[in-house]
Every structure is written in C-alpha cells, then in structure tokens.
C-alpha cells in the first residue's frame, strides 16, 4: 500500500514536471512572438507580459514537486553533511512532515479558495490592458502546491524509512 502511494505521488510529480516543461515552451514562444511583433513590425502585444509572468509562475510551481522528488533543490548542508545519515534522515523527515507539509497544505488551501473565488466572480487581471481571466493561473498554482504538499509528505516518510528509493543523504564527491 505504501509503495503504491509513493509511486502514485511520484507519478503525479513527474507528470506536472512535464507540464512545467511545456510552460517553458509557451514562455519562449510568447516572448519570441513579442520581440518580432514589437521590433520587426512595430506592433507590441497586449498579452505578452501577462503570458510571461503567468507561465513563469506556473512552470516554477508545477516543477517544484518534481524537483523535490529528484532532490534537485539547493541544499545548504555544511552542518548536516557532518552528521550520520540516519540523523540527517530524521531531521529531513521531521522538517518535511511536521513543518513544511502543514505550511504547504495551508498554502494549497488558500490557492484553491482563491481559484474558486476567481472562477465564481470571473476575476480578471485589473492592471493589465489585456485583462485575462485569473482562474487558470490560480488553478495551476493550486495544483502545483497540492503536488508539492504530497511530495513533501512522501519524502518525509521516505526520510524515516530505511529503504529509501535513492540515498540522497549520501555525500557524493
């Protein structure tokens, strides 16, 4: 059961990692279009800035769970590298499960509520001349935060487990 849960959360993180990669393509495409439209044709777009910040925000948060799964986050470990692997695992487990998971769970709740409210009210970006609907952007944030919350919980459980899928606590030279 535990292995199935871990695999399901890892799969969700991987799928959202691919969605994050798609956001990079959207960002690049929109910026290339804006540059050509602005400088070659003298006709800047109304929507390029909004697409840029929304796709950047979405790619960051959608890829966060995958980065945690791959242990690709920056880690400052000048103290923890001197500790035994078991103690580092316990510290990671406590921080992931008892500190970060509840915080990101609350952030997921807030983002989900904000998404629902934007959907119900038809909220648009008020400072933009394009005025895009905000619920798709908020949805991406809520989904990414939910996946990150799940991945934090799973990584916390893995940190306590002796048979972690990969030994991220081992220092490589």
């Amino acid at each position: 059961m535990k292995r199935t849960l871990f695999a399901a959360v890892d799969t969700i993180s991987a799928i959202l990692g691919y969605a994050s990669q798609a956001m990079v393509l959207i960002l690049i495409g929109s910026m290339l279009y804006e540059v050509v439209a602005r400088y070659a044709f003298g006709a800047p777009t109304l929507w390029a800035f909004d697409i840029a910040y929304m796709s950047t925000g979405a790619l960051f948060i959608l890829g966060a769970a995958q980065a945690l799964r791959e242990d690709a986050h920056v880690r400052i470990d000048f103290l923890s590298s001197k500790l035994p692997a078991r103690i580092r695992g316990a510290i990671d487990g406590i921080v992931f499960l008892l500190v970060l998971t509840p915080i990101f769970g609350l952030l997921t709740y807030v983002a989900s509520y904000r998404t629902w409210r934007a959907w119900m009210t038809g909220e648009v970006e008020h400072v933009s001349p394009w005025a895009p609907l905000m619920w798709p952007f908020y949805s991406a944030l809520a989904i990414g935060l939910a996946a990150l919350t799940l991945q934090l919980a799973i990584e916390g459980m893995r940190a306590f487990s002796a048979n972690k899928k990969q030994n991220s606590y081992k220092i490589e030279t």
Side-chain angles (χ1 to χ4, degrees), residues 57-103:
L59 78 87
F60 175 78
I61 200 65
L62 290 174
Q66 175 69 6
L68 179 62
R69 183 173 91 79
E70 297 290 329
D71 198 24
H73 287 287
V74 173
R75 196 182 279 247
I76 301 171
D77 62 353
F78 65 94
L79 291 177
S80 66
S81 65
K82 296 179 181 16
L83 298 174
R86 197 163 195 68
I87 293 174
R88 285 192 307 249
I91 291 169
D92 279 353
I94 289 167
V95 170
F96 286 167
L97 280 175
L98 301 179
V99 178
L100 295 176
T101 299
I103 290 169

Side-chain angles (χ1 to χ4, degrees), residues 22-148:
M23 290 290 119
V24 171
L25 296 176
I26 291 169
L27 176 62
I28 292 169
S30 67
M31 290 295 94
L32 285 173
Y33 185 88
E34 171 65 12
V35 167
V36 170
R38 179 180 297 262
Y39 294 108
F41 301 113
T45 63
L46 293 176
W47 49 265
F49 176 75
D50 297 312
I51 293 295
Y53 88 78
M54 288 181 185
S55 59
T56 301
L59 78 87
F60 175 78
I61 200 65
L62 290 174
Q66 175 69 6
L68 179 62
R69 183 173 91 79
E70 297 290 329
D71 198 24
H73 287 287
V74 173
R75 196 182 279 247
I76 301 171
D77 62 353
F78 65 94
L79 291 177
S80 66
S81 65
K82 296 179 181 16
L83 298 174
R86 197 163 195 68
I87 293 174
R88 285 192 307 249
I91 291 169
D92 279 353
I94 289 167
V95 170
F96 286 167
L97 280 175
L98 301 179
V99 178
L100 295 176
T101 299
I103 290 169
F104 280 91
L106 180 61
L107 289 173
T108 301
Y109 172 77
V110 170
S112 300
Y113 176 74
R114 185 87 189 248
T115 301
W116 176 80
R117 193 177 73 194
W119 169 266
M120 296 303 291
T121 62
E123 179 183 344
V124 297
E125 177 63 80
H126 295 289
V127 298
S128 168
W130 183 42
L133 288 171
M134 292 305 292
W135 68 264
F137 175 59
Y138 294 156
S139 296
L141 296 180
I143 291 166
L145 285 167
L148 182 57

Side-chain angles (χ1 to χ4, degrees), residues 9-20:
V9 172
D10 285 343
T11 301
I12 291 168
S13 295
I15 290 168
L16 291 179
Y18 290 124
S20 179

